[in-house]
Amino acid sequence: MPAKSPRGCADEHDAPGRTLGCQEDEMGQVVMDRGAGNVTGSGPGANGHAATKIRSYAPATGELLGEVKVTSADEVKRAVERARRAQEAWGALPVEERCERVLRFRDAIVDRADEIVDLLVRECGKPRHEALLHEVMVAADLATFFAKAAPRVLAPHEVKLHMFKHRRSFIHYKPRGVVAVISPWNYPFQLPLRDAIIALLAGNAVVIKPSEVTPLIAQKAKEVWDSAGLPEDLLQIVPGYGPTGAALIEAQPDFVILTGSVATGRRVAAACGERLIPCVMELGGKAPLIACADADVERTARAIVFGGFSNAGQVCVSVERVYAHREVHDKLVDRVVELTKELRQGDPSAEFVDVGAIIFPHQIDVAEKHIADAVQKGAAVRAGGKRREGPGQFFEPTVIDGCNHQMTVMTEEIFGPIVPFMRVSTEEEALRLANDSHLGLNAYVFSRDRDHATRLAERVEAGSVLVNDVLTNGGTPDTPFGGIKASGFGRAMGEEGLREMCNIKHVSVERVGMGSKDPLWYPYTAQSYGWFRKGLRALFSGGGLLQRIGEIL
Ligand code: NAD
């Protein structure tokens, strides 16, 4: 039986042998640690108590950054009740008014960008550029984009009925009510805010259950919201571990959006299913990159290095496996190895570095296991390959060559700085292997022939496929984002993502008066049946117009 994970659930995150970072503090309260050798905990701690606080440590230095109180199930319930009350007034506002207020939040984010970036750098150990570009800028852009798009996308519109010409149908997008946002630690600012901003613009109230691994940045986001003079109960956060997320679903919100692992996705979707709460699941990825025979080696190599090591590989759309055509394989691997060895890794709060720390230390164990399995089955480590000694949680950017689908590194999510290569003889072989996965979030195709690459992209099984580029669709709010297969269902972002946050309501109105009796209503008579029977053939059989008129006569 797998060991109980520090988050209180046996899942893909399980790390047998790890100890719970659980202890009693000076006040006799149970505290769960994370980082600096300790790991997060959830639910009952080692001594049987429930955790009451989360301590946050800087992954790059081990420094204690602060602690946050865990929200109890009762408090979660009350937060949802307050949100429900706040939503009534918010949902009744014209959408333009909601957009204007959300832009105030955007302005506050931009005004306080430096302090947000500083905290992201310290709590996540991510490079300053990534904190600014991939978190703050993405959130600001998304708010701007959707504030502009919402009045058009959410406007009621008429659907022309093909048959019932005597009636007019209108589609309305109504707020769902209270939206629960459950989020992970890899982009702890932009991911929960992405879902929150879209939900708010659609007229909902939002309760965020942030990751227990990065509790401080969620608090900062809430502080910025409140400082913008926006209704406090409209956007709330309920810090805590997995059980707090479970309590949030038990509090019966009207919609749930989870971004997290496949294992958590199964649990959350089941809990939503039991309560018939509609939900979106944004789960794990195993993005393949197909390097065609005519791929531009320099661009492809640089894309692989950026796509594999950005955020230290802790990205759901990371380049997780490369299928390189034998024409380019050797040159590509050599160049990727060269570029990887040039990367500067270290504490991003002290200097400008390319690659930062591992946010959640368990990912280091996962990386080591993948590498040991691959090497034991014949792969060669060409760059990196090990954890860095000394303070902080670092794993070297790693390139592995000679991989195949017998190795877990090619088939299971890594979520760390490892890029495995497999040589293929044809693009068809690459396509077959790319599609040989239980996951289907993002994928990449590199070729100098754009049309050819596009045709190949259309055959890859994934929610998004980028040609000659990596990662950017995480920052294009214009397009729907989400997975197929075990990567989840539903979409964040794009018009589809905005409408996901709405109940779709159809209002049907008569165009002309039909008198007191409708031909479709009672009584059913032999004569009316005969007419409808003739109508069936007239309306739906092949043949020309004259033949069909003949059927009626
Ligand atoms: P996780 O599944 O461990 O946790 C995600 C969130 O779910 C956390 O807030 C956690 O506390 C909460 N949770 C755990 N158990 C719960 C339960 N029973 N009920 C309710 N909530 C519960 O994931 P993680 O380790 O934080 O994040 C990494 C995973 O997220 C990776 O698999 C990654 O691919 C995925 N991810 C996906 C996307 C995407 O958009 N598809 C984006 C980022 C990360």
Side-chain angles (χ1 to χ4, degrees), residues 7 9 11 13 42 181-187 191 194 209-213 240-249 258-265 267-268 271 281-286 314-317 320 360 363 413 415 439 441 481-483 487-488 492:
R7 293 178 194 185
C9 45
D11 62 15
H13 285 298
S42 87
V181 174
I182 304 177
S183 50
W185 43 263
N186 61 332
Y187 290 99
L191 282 177
R194 172 192 74 183
K209 206 304 274 173
S211 171
E212 59 272 40
V213 181
Y241 299 88
T244 304
L248 181 53
I249 299 166
L258 167 78
T259 306
S261 62
V262 174
T264 303
R267 272 186 217 104
V268 169
M281 293 290 129
E282 293 284 348
L283 310 179
K286 187 71 195 165
Q314 303 160 112
V315 189
C316 56
V317 293
E320 285 246 343
F360 183 37
Q363 295 309 129
E413 188 177 40
F415 220 59
L439 298 170
L441 188 58
F481 183 89
S487 288

